[in-house]
């Protein structure tokens, strides 16, 4: 396996061994005890990109261990303990100190200048945060500057602190974060959506269809309950933009949070029985991947279109992105103001 990167590299976030912007694809380098190699030290499970830093979750072979690697800006502590106050231009294994213990790393996320990891043990999951605490984004209940590895506080949300809590999803945007917490109740397992960080535009509140304005507190440093489902409902997808978020649940519903200033929310979208596969957010856009029939895929886009990120003419009323015919969508990925779609046509991958 080899990782290829392109784009801005002002603080070494591409991990190519320099700090020069790359206008074409280049190979990532990994520091293995002073020896820089293009091959990662295992299977790359997940990659998370912040403003000027990048995280990678790697499953090492044959040790069968999962470790956290990073590159780029570490000036706010977003690259853990060993890189605090400096930066890297190649991927190095990051030090989480005693906070990791014997737990297993399962998820990673990166916001503008903060990082998050989910660690798991038989007693439940924990969310660790490190880096900038602007808008209370580290989720500790404190809004002041914090150093080192922190625990996102979630125990206060449950009446029985001994219950094992599983983090099934974690998504962060530039200034706020959401987690789906699965917990045991007297009627079975239920999902709870919690959020923290910036909230002035209602990012931490479910939006009703007839709401024209939505306001909330400037910041929420202690994670709060956003929604709990009283019937068996699983959160299938979750995505966070700059000032909005979308949640897809197993009953084929899309729940909408935050600002609609750029018309980025789908609103009263009527899809009937059409299966919704994914929901995605860029900074000021929303994208919905649907499958109208077994061999037909479509993407609906909403919001700002100044840079062509809608993938269609802004005057098209049905919101459908123009895709090649006979195109099967395999994945959709959003940047701040651009979108990548990976799929398969009759001629192969495009």
């Amino acid at each position: 396996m080899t990782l290829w990167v392109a784009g801005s590299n002002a603080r070494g976030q591409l991990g190519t061994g320099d700090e020069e912007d790359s206008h074409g694809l280049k190979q990532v380098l990994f520091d293995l005890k002073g020896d820089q190699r293009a091959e990662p030290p295992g299977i790359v499970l997940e990659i998370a990109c912040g403003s000027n830093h990048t995280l990678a979750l790697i499953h090492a072979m044959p040790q069968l261990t999962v470790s956290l690697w990073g590159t780029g800006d570490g000036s706010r502590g977003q690259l853990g303990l060993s890189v605090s106050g400096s930066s890297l231009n190649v991927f190095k294994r990051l030090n989480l100190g005693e906070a990791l213990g014997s737990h297993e790393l399962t998820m990673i996320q990166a916001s503008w200048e903060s990082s998050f990891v989910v660690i798991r043990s038989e007693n439940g999951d924990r969310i660790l945060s490190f880096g900038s605490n602007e808008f209370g984004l580290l989720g500790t209940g404190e809004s002041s500057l914090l150093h080192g590895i922190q625990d996102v506080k979630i125990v206060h949300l449950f009446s029985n602190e001994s219950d094992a809590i599983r983090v099934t999803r974690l998504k962060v945007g530039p200034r706020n974060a959401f987690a789906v917490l699965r917990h045991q109740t007297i009627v079975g397992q239920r999902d709870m959506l919690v959020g923290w960080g910036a909230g002035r535009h209602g990012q931490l509140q479910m939006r009703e269809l007839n709401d024209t304005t939505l306001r909330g507190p400037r910041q929420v440093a202690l994670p709060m309950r956003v929604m709990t489902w009283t019937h068996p409902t699983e959160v299938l997808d979750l995505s966070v933009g700059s000032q909005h978020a979308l949640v897809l649940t197993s009953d084929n519903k899309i729940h909408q949070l935050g600002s609609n200033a750029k018309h980025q929310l789908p609103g009263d979208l009527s899809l009937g029985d059409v299966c919704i596969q994914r929901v995605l957010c860029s900074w000021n856009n929303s994208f919905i991947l649907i499958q109208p029939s077994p061999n037909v895929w479509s993407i609906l886009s909403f919001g700002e279109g100044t840079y062509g990120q809608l993938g269609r003419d802004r005057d098209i009323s049905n919101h459908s992105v123009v895709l090649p015919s006979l195109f099967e969508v395999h994945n959709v990925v959003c940047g701040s103001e651009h979108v990548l779609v990976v799929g398969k046509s009759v001629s192969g991958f495009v």
Side-chain angles (χ1 to χ4, degrees):
M1 174 184 288
T2 304
L3 290 183
W4 297 82
V5 293
S8 175
N9 195 31
R11 298 302 301 273
Q13 63 264 38
L14 294 184
T16 55
D18 55 41
E19 295 181 359
E20 298 296 324
D21 294 349
S22 177
H23 297 276
L25 291 172
K26 295 177 67 175
Q27 285 185 312
V28 165
L29 297 177
F30 293 85
D31 187 305
L32 304 177
K33 298 181 179 180
D35 183 17
Q36 295 183 3
R37 301 181 183 178
E39 299 79 20
I43 300 171
V44 179
L45 302 176
E46 191 174 1
I47 295 175
C49 299
S51 170
N52 286 308
H53 75 290
T54 309
L55 305 176
L57 197 61
I58 297 180
H59 188 184
M61 304 293 285
Q63 300 94 331
L64 300 178
T65 58
V66 177
S67 55
L68 180 65
W69 294 65
T71 186
D73 183 19
S75 62
R76 304 295 295 272
Q78 62 266 53
L79 292 182
L81 299 176
S82 57
V83 195
S84 182
S86 61
S87 62
L88 302 171
N89 58 25
V90 297
F91 275 90
K92 288 188 177 182
R93 185 168 180 172
L94 302 183
N95 178 18
L96 298 181
E98 297 179 357
L100 180 58
S102 59
H103 292 71
E104 175 191 1
L105 286 162
T106 62
M107 299 180 202
I108 58 174
Q109 284 283 287
S111 69
W112 198 250
E113 292 182 318
S114 309
S115 301
F116 303 82
V117 300
V118 176
I119 60 176
R120 174 163 296 177
S121 73
E122 61 182 14
N123 297 320
D125 294 353
R126 293 161 56 195
I127 305 173
L128 304 181
S129 59
F130 40 103
S132 170
N133 195 33
E134 188 177 9
F135 294 95
L137 192 54
L138 295 186
T140 64
E142 301 289 335
S143 56
S144 58
L145 177 67
L146 297 172
H147 299 282
I149 311 298
Q150 312 295 327
D151 255 293
V152 174
K153 296 187 182 300
I154 55 176
V155 176
H156 67 282
L157 297 165
F158 302 92
S159 57
N160 188 350
E161 296 184 5
S162 64
D163 287 345
I165 300 168
R166 294 299 184 196
V167 181
T168 62
R169 296 189 182 274
L170 175 67
K171 292 291 183 180
V172 302
R175 291 180 172 176
N176 57 354
F178 294 90
V180 178
L181 309 179
R182 185 161 295 166
H183 60 109
Q184 188 66 36
T185 71
I186 59 174
V187 293
Q189 288 190 333
R190 294 291 185 269
D191 281 358
M192 176 192 297
L193 178 67
V194 303
W196 64 97
R200 186 168 66 89
H201 298 281
Q203 299 99 305
L204 303 178
Q205 303 173 54
M206 288 293 179
R207 190 182 185 96
E208 300 297 331
L209 294 179
N210 57 354
D211 282 344
T212 55
T213 59
L214 197 60
R215 289 289 182 266
R218 180 178 181 273
Q219 67 179 37
V220 175
L222 186 67
M224 57 176 282
R225 182 185 291 108
V226 177
M227 187 169 187
T228 300
W229 288 268
T230 56
H231 53 285
T233 302
E234 181 181 354
V235 176
L236 300 180
D237 204 7
L238 168 63
S239 191
V240 186
S242 175
Q243 297 176 355
H244 74 293
L246 297 179
V247 182
L248 173 64
T249 50
S250 54
D251 52 4
N252 208 44
K253 292 182 179 179
I254 299 175
H255 304 272
Q256 306 170 42
L257 302 88
S259 172
N260 195 34
K262 302 290 186 180
H263 306 288
Q264 63 264 54
L265 296 178
D268 187 12
L269 184 65
S270 179
L271 294 175
D273 295 330
V274 172
C275 181
I276 303 172
Q277 298 288 337
R278 295 282 310 279
V279 291
L280 303 104
C281 299
S282 62
W283 275 11
N284 293 307
N285 293 88
S286 294
F287 302 89
I288 301 173
L289 176 62
I290 61 175
Q291 192 173 8
S293 60
N295 296 315
V296 178
W297 298 76
S298 181
I299 298 174
L300 307 180
S301 61
F302 305 84
E304 181 64 50
T306 304
Y307 301 105
Q309 62 267 50
L310 288 174
R312 58 172 175 82
D313 190 295
R314 280 188 277 187
D315 296 328
I316 295 178
S317 59
N318 64 4
H319 303 285
S320 293
V321 173
V322 178
L323 294 174
S325 59
L326 301 176
F327 187 80
E328 178 183 346
V329 177
H330 287 193
N331 198 11
V332 184
V333 181
C334 292
S336 58
E337 293 177 315
H338 66 288
V339 185
L340 299 177
V341 179
V342 179
K344 187 177 182 179
S345 68
V346 292
S347 59
F349 279 91
V350 296

